[in-house]
Amino acid sequence: MIRPSEKRSILNPFSKLAVVLFLGVTLLRPLDDKYSLFIVLVFAVFYCLYNMPIKGLKTTALYISVLLILGSGNINELHPFFKMFASVLVVVKIFYLPVMAGKFFLLTSEVGSIISSMDKLKIPTSFSIPISVMFRFFPSFREEHANIKMAMKVRGITAKKPLRYLEYVAVPLLILSSNLTDDIAKAAETKCIADPAKKVRYRYVGFGVVDIFFIALMLVVRIVGSA
Amino acid sequence: MEKKLKVKDLVTIGVFTVIYFVGMYLLGMIGMIPILFLIWPTLNGIVMGVVVMLFMTKVQKPWALFIFGMLPTVIMFAMGHTYILLVHTTIIMLIAEFLRRKDHYQSFIGTALANGVFSMWACGSLLQILLVRERYLEMTAQMVSEEYAQGLSNLVTVPNMALIYLGAFVGGILGAFLGRKMLKKHFEKAAIL
């Protein structure tokens, strides 16, 4: 039997998703600034574990600067134009934690491990097949779009004429995609996607101590820190 | 007619979700200007309604629309939206699915109504703001100014939200008519359906 790859990811994709869910609650029941900063720092540490220290640094720096600007309190004296800008910062602060967690999930999870963990959680195939197809189709969609855009540019149809552009780019794209659907379905069928047998995946996804630690830490901070 | 979703239908769902999501995201760019964000659900219903119509004509089976509608929300959820959106979309999609089921996935009227309801899911992201309204206004009043917060609170209200829902529904119906026209003009000719 072929062994699945020994290379493991640090966190299970679904524990990242679970954390996105907890942090979504911060919209209704806000966290104290200290605790939310702590959460941002934990994420920065995990970014470092995933070999993306710069990303972690950026996330932290952005959050601290938002806190500092809003905390300085002299926004009232600003010109109305800058006040508009400040209100955008308020929105940024409210949505920061869940959006950050979501970005972390997207940047650090491989497609293979997401699909593999969907198997493990026994998500019905009527959901897991479309999701895998989405990952497969996205790059070819971009490619086809670029090709059609080029072809239409030659014929003088550019984004400057939005209505014509929409029709003459969207329609070929939809037709192409419909044809691609048939191809993908055939390819998937030859790889026995509908076969109920147990699949061997390239990536192994487990649920380890780090996952428990990560989720527990977030839950504790969430409960302790609710203002 | 086979009534169970086969692999081909599931692949269709995946492919159309990508198209829908990309289109929706590009249209959402108008939300950069805050006021325009309020007409986004309507616009989304009109333009992306064409895609949904094509999808509904291609896959006339139970639960296809439900899965198709849930997936963009799942992506948005993974990108940091809240569970509010998830619950909201589930309810909307169940209604749309029910409307399609009632006329056995065939007639135009049923499909158009389903499309109208379907496009209402986009209101969910605005609903989130409505639910955190008190806190948002309080913070804005503190940080920016009382008058600005007052202006916002006049804008983000329950009646206005109802108007946005109505706009999305009307947009979806218009999208269905536009979709039918497009289907006749292009897709039937190309033997896609």
Side-chain angles (χ1 to χ4, degrees):
Chain A
M1 189 183 131
I2 308 158
R3 283 190 170 276
S5 158
E6 288 300 319
K7 200 178 155 195
R8 292 184 53 164
S9 49
I10 301 164
L11 282 171
N12 187 315
F14 277 87
S15 40
K16 293 174 204 166
L17 269 187
V19 169
V20 177
L21 186 73
F22 300 151
L23 292 181
V25 185
T26 49
L27 287 187
L28 292 179
R29 299 186 52 202
L31 275 177
D32 198 58
D33 282 356
K34 272 177 291 178
Y35 292 106
S36 46
L37 189 60
F38 175 70
I39 289 182
V40 173
L41 287 175
V42 171
F43 271 93
V45 171
F46 271 100
Y47 266 125
C48 293
L49 288 180
Y50 273 101
N51 260 338
M52 288 187 245
I54 298 167
K55 195 77 214 158
L57 209 65
K58 264 190 199 161
T59 316
T60 321
L62 183 66
Y63 194 63
I64 291 177
S65 44
V66 168
L67 281 187
L68 282 182
I69 295 173
L70 287 181
S72 62
N74 49 11
I75 293 168
N76 265 325
E77 290 125 47
L78 286 177
H79 188 268
F81 179 75
F82 291 108
K83 275 185 187 172
M84 280 274 283
F85 184 70
S87 80
V88 173
L89 280 185
V90 175
V91 180
V92 170
K93 193 189 165 192
I94 292 180
F95 286 94
Y96 199 84
L97 289 182
V99 171
M100 177 190 65
K103 211 170 170 195
F104 178 72
F105 164 73
L106 288 182
L107 282 178
T108 57
S109 318
E110 293 123 348
V111 178
S113 62
I114 294 174
I115 293 169
S116 167
S117 49
M118 280 195 298
D119 274 4
K120 210 159 204 181
L121 281 179
K122 301 208 165 46
I123 288 179
T125 45
S126 42
F127 268 96
S128 64
I129 292 176
I131 291 175
S132 342
V133 169
M134 269 158 49
F135 287 119
R136 152 74 178 78
F137 178 65
F138 201 75
S140 34
F141 180 73
R142 278 232 298 256
E143 204 177 298
E144 299 296 350
H145 180 227
N147 288 344
I148 292 171
K149 221 161 93 178
M150 181 72 86
M152 287 305 148
K153 206 173 168 189
V154 172
R155 289 165 178 77
I157 297 167
T158 54
K160 279 175 198 157
K161 303 170 190 158
L163 278 182
R164 272 170 69 92
Y165 180 80
L166 256 183
E167 187 175 353
Y168 286 91
V169 172
V171 170
L173 251 184
L174 284 172
I175 290 177
L176 252 169
S177 311
S178 299
N179 290 339
L180 267 176
T181 307
D182 296 346
D183 292 348
I184 296 175
K186 279 172 207 152
E189 203 72 80
T190 49
K191 287 175 189 163
C192 285
I193 200 165
D195 189 35
K198 197 163 179 273
K199 310 263 190 310
V200 178
R201 298 285 184 198
Y202 184 64
R203 292 228 170 249
Y204 174 75
V205 176
F207 189 82
V209 187
V210 191
D211 290 284
I212 296 170
F213 172 73
F214 186 53
I215 293 180
L217 189 69
M218 288 300 156
L219 260 182
V220 167
V221 173
R222 185 59 276 222
I223 292 163
V224 172
S226 47
Chain B
M1 195 168 122
E2 181 82 52
K3 278 293 177 194
K4 237 179 140 236
L5 289 173
K6 286 194 292 194
V7 172
K8 195 182 167 225
D9 305 313
L10 295 175
V11 172
T12 314
I13 292 174
V15 165
F16 274 80
T17 307
V18 172
I19 300 172
Y20 189 84
F21 189 76
V22 171
M24 180 197 85
Y25 200 81
L26 290 179
L27 284 176
M29 289 293 168
I30 64 159
M32 292 288 167
I33 307 159
I35 289 295
L36 284 184
F37 198 79
L38 300 178
I39 61 157
W40 172 63
T42 314
L43 198 65
N44 190 43
I46 296 174
V47 178
M48 298 322 282
V50 177
V51 177
V52 183
M53 281 301 279
L54 179 59
F55 171 77
M56 284 200 277
T57 354
K58 263 184 88 83
V59 187
Q60 298 179 341
K61 288 179 184 175
W63 297 110
L65 187 69
F66 180 76
I67 299 172
F68 174 63
M70 286 311 288
L71 285 175
T73 310
V74 171
I75 307 175
M76 281 170 91
F77 175 69
M79 281 165 72
H81 279 255
T82 53
Y83 60 93
I84 298 167
L85 192 67
L86 217 55
V87 175
H88 175 260
T89 311
T90 313
I91 297 168
I92 295 283
M93 289 311 150
L94 282 176
I95 299 171
E97 183 64 42
F98 175 74
L99 279 174
R100 276 195 92 195
R101 172 163 301 207
K102 263 195 101 174
D103 66 8
H104 308 289
Y105 307 90
Q106 305 265 317
S107 77
F108 173 70
I109 296 170
T111 318
L113 280 177
N115 198 8
V117 174
F118 181 94
S119 57
M120 277 195 228
W121 80 270
C123 305
S125 54
L126 288 165
L127 194 71
Q128 288 178 100
I129 299 183
L130 192 70
L131 286 176
V132 293
R133 179 167 179 258
E134 296 306 317
R135 178 162 174 248
Y136 177 65
L137 290 179
E138 192 186 302
M139 278 177 86
T140 320
Q142 231 173 40
M143 309 287 179
V144 190
S145 72
E146 290 288 340
E147 307 98 74
Y148 188 76
Q150 199 58 49
L152 261 181
S153 73
N154 288 338
L155 202 65
V156 188
T157 53
V158 176
N160 277 3
M161 200 63 218
L163 263 183
I164 294 170
Y165 271 84
L166 189 71
F169 184 73
V170 172
I173 300 281
L174 284 178
F177 278 98
L178 186 67
R180 182 164 73 164
K181 218 180 134 200
M182 292 283 260
L183 290 182
K184 284 226 171 86
K185 186 174 169 193
H186 297 287
F187 296 102
E188 276 167 20
K189 234 188 270 173
I192 289 296
L193 293 174

